[in-house]
Amino acid sequence: MSADTYLGVPLHRPRVAFFEFTACEGCQLQILNNEATLLDFLSLVEVVSFREAMKEHSDDYEIAFVEGSITRADEAARLKKIRKNARVLVAMGSCACFGGVNQLKNRFDQKWIKQEVYGKFPIESEKARPLSDIVDVDLEIYGCPIKKEEVEKIVTNLVLGKAVTHPKYPVCMECMANDNICLYKVGEPCLGPVTRAGCDAWCPGSRFGCWGCRGPADAANVDQLISIMEEHNFSTDTIIDRLECFGGFSEFVDALKKKSGKSKTKKKRARK
Amino acid sequence: MKVSCNVNVHHLSRVEGHGNIHIKIKDGKLKEASWEVVETPRFFEAMLVGKKWDNAPWICGRICGICSIGHTLASIRAVENAFGIVPSEQTRKLRLLLKHMETLQSHILHLYFLAAPDFVNAGSVFPLIKSHPDVVARAARLKLVANDACDVIGGRRLHPTTTVVGGFTMVPDKRELELIKTRLEGAMVDLSQTAELFRSFPIPDFSRETEFVSLKGQGDYPFIGGDLVSTDGVRMKEKDYAKMTNEYSVKQSTAKWARLSRDSFAVGALARLNNNFVYLHPTARELSESFGLRPVNHNPYMNNVAQLIECVHVTLDSINLINEILDTEWDEPRQPVKHKKGTGVAAVEVPRGILYHSYEFDKDGKIVKSDCVIPTGQNHANIQHDLKALAVEFAAGGKKDADIELLAEMLVRSYDPCISCSVH
């Protein structure tokens, strides 16, 4: 760990806390997955609460990193308390930013999904919501999962008081810069042309088409992408599957479903 | 018996997900000992309905942030079983290698970051960075090689990208595999020091007889697919998993519980080892013997040691697998997929125990019905019964509240529960 001063000048290590709501906790694990740089990262901040990794807890923190979406009243109440305590609230990952895969259940009537999974057993759950539906969010870190290099850069900027900016361009640009093969040429659907960059074309780099986990890029032309996908003979179902997976493109999905006659909320009959 | 005891742990730390422990002893009588799971459900089984088959592994990997590779591979196997796809030898080896590396990173994460602090009176691994820098550096080194291997084979360490129904989107670079092999050979030194570290920890002396469920090895220590077995003598086919798990709901938990021959059973490293001891790599088996760990061991705290033994097994087996892969020419990474109507089931041993995915498809390859039975879900009832027995036994021994609280926390942690996964 580095000293608390550099060249005799005291360093400010912000007090940070990590919290999770409805999620897989993978984004927090990405922080612990920083083996090579974890120790340097920890020297930048003072971790005062991180339930997944430590027993101690304090409500005295400046930056709160929050993972997950909100699906129950007690979660909303806890989130409001965190908002009160934190000077900066950071939404970490697709679930926190857009609802993530959790919002896929919002396609259905909530009574039906409970019946489908728990039968008659009573269970409390509401539609999955992103953090910004409940509280003000100061900063969003996109991705499912978040990328550790990006988190480190963002935290360093926060510590140094530098502005945090996200790329405005789409994943496609990063893919081209990396000389990747275009997946449309090998018959794979890909949301790279409309998804916000910053992941260094993580999935297309492994020849796996983008599913849009980082949400739309600035001025993303989704209508044009839909035409491109249709030209490549991808079905409306495939286009919808891609666009609705992580919740970042929900307005476009609603429009597409309306246009193609697929209603937003299907009421399913339970079959047991 | 001790006259009174009051233990209340809200949102237990150093476990994945949200659970509470309550123990109450009044006037010498046990009033309450409960393991509550309060995690919010995500309804994966419902959200999959209507989705095309290729969505399943991608979405289901997100059930878990620690064992996303295991969930992805179970999901892929269930889809392939439904469509009658048999993976190639190359795919089979790459998948097993990828799974081994997830097992190694997950066990190391649990052993060093989640379990070890209890044995050295620390609240987390963070203060150990200053007090035991070489130990933390060793943990980071072991986790890093496993995670780097997952990046090389699976595209990334969390929510993998190359793993698809039919095989892989691309094969790894052989030079990178060679490098991983060299690092794994070096990791054996770190693992033997890890063994010495855990040998110095006093494992609590507590046993409660239970049933252990896992895959049944046939010549190999089992990880992907095969028959199901229990230490009470039950044997079943993979497709009959529902009869092996018998899930039901209880008030104290948003995760379902499971049972087989008794009120509860256990899955995980200790269950695998209890059922498949003879198939461990000889070096791993010898190490197990040196810890006095032989089948059938009923001390839940020994799951920590069983994880350590498995770290040695998967590391040695991975070195062998990489040698075999390096000796063969690459074949096509992926075979074509043709969907059809039907049901497919997969049983896969993930770090915390046996995991099942089952999907029913319509003629268009869309999911009609799905079911996932999670290892930690199968362990919850066993944790509950252990907790009760532990409260009675340790309170009778006149232990202080703080000691009972720590032993109860350590008990739950020894199962390495993945709570949000169990609720999914």
Side-chain angles (χ1 to χ4, degrees), chain B residues 49-162:
Chain B
V49 172
K51 287 282 170 195
K52 236 183 87 190
W53 58 269
D54 60 339
N55 285 242
W58 183 242
I59 292 173
C60 286
R62 267 104 186 139
I63 289 176
C64 184
I66 309 180
C67 55
S68 61
I69 290 170
H71 274 281
T72 304
L73 293 179
S75 183
I76 288 173
R77 180 173 167 85
V79 178
E80 289 181 351
N81 282 347
F83 299 165
I85 296 169
V86 180
S88 69
E89 193 59 14
Q90 172 180 304
T91 292
R92 206 188 54 76
K93 281 181 184 163
L94 283 172
R95 284 178 181 165
L96 184 59
L97 180 59
L98 180 60
K99 248 211 68 49
H100 278 353
M101 292 296 95
E102 179 184 72
T103 303
L104 181 61
Q105 77 82 14
S106 174
H107 283 357
I108 292 295
L109 171 77
H110 176 245
L111 288 170
Y112 276 96
F113 290 15
L114 309 183
D118 284 328
F119 291 98
V120 293
N121 268 330
S124 76
V125 75
F126 300 140
L128 306 183
I129 296 171
K130 261 192 183 139
S131 61
H132 300 75
D134 48 332
V135 174
V136 179
R138 187 198 308 144
R141 209 157 47 228
L142 282 166
K143 230 168 90 46
L144 183 62
V145 61
N147 270 331
D148 283 350
C150 292
D151 288 351
V152 167
I153 307 154
R156 64 183 172 200
R157 55 198 63 189
L158 175 61
H159 303 328
T161 50
T162 62

Side-chain angles (χ1 to χ4, degrees), chain A residues 20 22 35 117-118 206 244, chain B residues 18 40 51 147 169 254 256:
Chain A
E20 69 289 315
T22 303
E35 298 92 356
V117 176
Y118 288 93
S206 322
E244 82 178 350
Chain B
H18 301 90
T40 47
K51 287 282 170 195
N147 270 331
T169 59
T254 50
K256 291 174 192 167

Side-chain angles (χ1 to χ4, degrees), chain B residues 92-101 103-104 153 180-181 184-185 188 191 219-224 279-284 309-325:
Chain B
R92 206 188 54 76
K93 281 181 184 163
L94 283 172
R95 284 178 181 165
L96 184 59
L97 180 59
L98 180 60
K99 248 211 68 49
H100 278 353
M101 292 296 95
T103 303
L104 181 61
I153 307 154
I180 295 290
K181 190 186 92 170
L184 285 175
E185 284 161 352
M188 285 307 293
L191 283 175
D220 288 314
Y221 198 78
F223 284 101
I224 302 179
Y279 299 124
L280 278 171
H281 188 285
T283 309
I309 306 301
E310 286 195 337
C311 286
V312 172
H313 174 87
V314 298
T315 302
L316 290 168
D317 199 43
S318 296
I319 294 169
N320 285 341
L321 276 167
I322 295 176
N323 279 333
E324 288 175 24
I325 293 167

Side-chain angles (χ1 to χ4, degrees), chain A residues 1 20-27 29-30 32-36 38-39 42 47 50-56 69 71-72 74-75 78 101-105 107-108 110 112-114 116-118 121 123-125 144-146 148 188-189 202-203 205-209 211 213 235 237-238 240-242 244-246 262 266 268 271-272, chain B residues 11-18 38-52 54-55 58-59 62-66 105 109 113-114 118 122-127 129-130 136 140 143-144 147 155-159 161-164 169-170 249-251 253-256 334 360 366 368-370 405-406 409 413 420 423:
Chain A
M1 305 269 282
E20 69 289 315
F21 292 96
T22 303
C24 75
E25 298 194 11
C27 287
L29 270 161
Q30 280 291 79
L32 293 180
N33 269 341
N34 276 8
E35 298 92 356
L38 182 65
L39 303 188
L42 288 174
V47 182
F50 193 162
R51 190 197 50 80
E52 199 173 356
M54 63 196 271
K55 204 165 169 170
E56 300 84 354
S69 50
T71 65
R72 216 165 55 192
D74 61 314
E75 289 191 320
R78 227 177 103 223
V101 290
N102 300 330
Q103 53 78 43
L104 284 173
K105 80 177 177 121
R107 285 144 65 223
F108 299 115
Q110 297 300 294
W112 176 80
I113 59 140
K114 289 179 194 175
E116 177 71 3
V117 176
Y118 288 93
F121 187 78
I123 202 90
E124 207 188 322
S125 180
C144 179
I146 54 168
K148 64 192 178 95
E188 292 281 332
W202 216 354
C203 296
S206 322
R207 298 207 186 149
F208 188 79
W211 287 69
C213 72
S235 68
D237 279 343
T238 297
I240 290 174
D241 278 354
R242 291 270 157 166
E244 82 178 350
C245 191
F246 293 101
K262 292 177 195 280
K266 277 184 258 179
K268 279 263 173 188
R271 46 191 293 278
K272 274 275 153 180
Chain B
H11 289 184
L12 174 65
S13 62
R14 299 207 321 273
V15 295
E16 199 277 356
H18 301 90
V38 293
E39 186 80 26
T40 47
R42 287 168 290 162
F43 298 93
F44 273 89
E45 285 123 332
M47 68 170 83
L48 285 174
V49 172
K51 287 282 170 195
K52 236 183 87 190
D54 60 339
N55 285 242
W58 183 242
I59 292 173
R62 267 104 186 139
I63 289 176
C64 184
I66 309 180
Q105 77 82 14
L109 171 77
F113 290 15
L114 309 183
D118 284 328
S124 76
V125 75
F126 300 140
I129 296 171
K130 261 192 183 139
V136 179
K143 230 168 90 46
L144 183 62
N147 270 331
R156 64 183 172 200
R157 55 198 63 189
L158 175 61
H159 303 328
T161 50
T162 62
T163 43
V164 289
T169 59
M170 59 198 285
S249 296
V250 287
K251 266 204 182 121
S253 167
T254 50
K256 291 174 192 167
R334 187 177 189 174
E360 183 190 336
K366 284 186 179 174
V368 179
K369 184 106 192 148
S370 77
E405 178 171 327
L406 179 64
E409 288 194 2
R413 280 190 198 110
S420 61
V423 178

Side-chain angles (χ1 to χ4, degrees), chain B residues 108 111-112 133-139 141-142 186-201 287 291 308 312:
Chain B
I108 292 295
L111 288 170
Y112 276 96
D134 48 332
V135 174
V136 179
R138 187 198 308 144
R141 209 157 47 228
L142 282 166
M188 285 307 293
V189 179
D190 283 337
L191 283 175
S192 84
Q193 282 171 351
T194 305
E196 289 324 300
L197 177 71
F198 274 78
R199 209 185 289 286
S200 72
F201 293 160
L287 185 66
F291 273 90
L308 165 72
V312 172

Side-chain angles (χ1 to χ4, degrees), chain B residues 246-414:
Chain B
N246 308 297
E247 281 193 305
Y248 61 105
S249 296
V250 287
K251 266 204 182 121
Q252 72 196 72
S253 167
T254 50
K256 291 174 192 167
W257 283 15
R259 66 183 151 216
L260 183 56
S261 314
R262 313 173 183 224
D263 288 341
S264 68
F265 65 84
V267 299
L270 186 58
R272 282 191 288 264
L273 187 142
N274 275 334
N275 279 315
N276 298 288
F277 190 69
V278 292
Y279 299 124
L280 278 171
H281 188 285
T283 309
R285 204 165 54 220
E286 233 168 77
L287 185 66
S288 190
E289 298 266 10
S290 80
F291 273 90
L293 176 55
R294 287 177 210 94
V296 175
N297 186 298
H298 289 279
N299 180 350
Y301 294 99
M302 285 303 269
N303 192 52
N304 293 316
V305 178
Q307 287 192 337
L308 165 72
I309 306 301
E310 286 195 337
C311 286
V312 172
H313 174 87
V314 298
T315 302
L316 290 168
D317 199 43
S318 296
I319 294 169
N320 285 341
L321 276 167
I322 295 176
N323 279 333
E324 288 175 24
I325 293 167
L326 291 176
D327 280 347
T328 343
E329 291 289 309
W330 284 129
D331 213 343
E332 275 298 309
R334 187 177 189 174
Q335 54 174 306
V337 179
K338 222 179 143 190
H339 64 254
K340 64 175 190 190
K341 193 180 156 154
T343 302
V345 173
V348 171
E349 287 286 354
V350 293
R352 284 150 203 82
I354 191 162
L355 163 71
Y356 308 97
H357 279 226
S358 166
Y359 312 124
E360 183 190 336
F361 295 98
D362 66 11
K363 62 173 179 31
D364 300 321
K366 284 186 179 174
I367 295 174
V368 179
K369 184 106 192 148
S370 77
D371 187 27
C372 304
V373 185
I374 313 296
T376 297
Q378 297 169 70
N379 275 334
H380 284 318
N382 212 59
I383 295 174
Q384 168 63 45
H385 286 282
D386 277 357
L387 202 61
K388 212 168 158 180
L390 176 140
V392 172
E393 190 177 316
F394 289 156
K399 285 202 186 293
K400 290 187 196 127
D401 278 22
D403 292 336
I404 295 178
E405 178 171 327
L406 179 64
L407 284 162
E409 288 194 2
M410 285 170 73
L411 171 84
V412 178
R413 280 190 198 110
S414 69

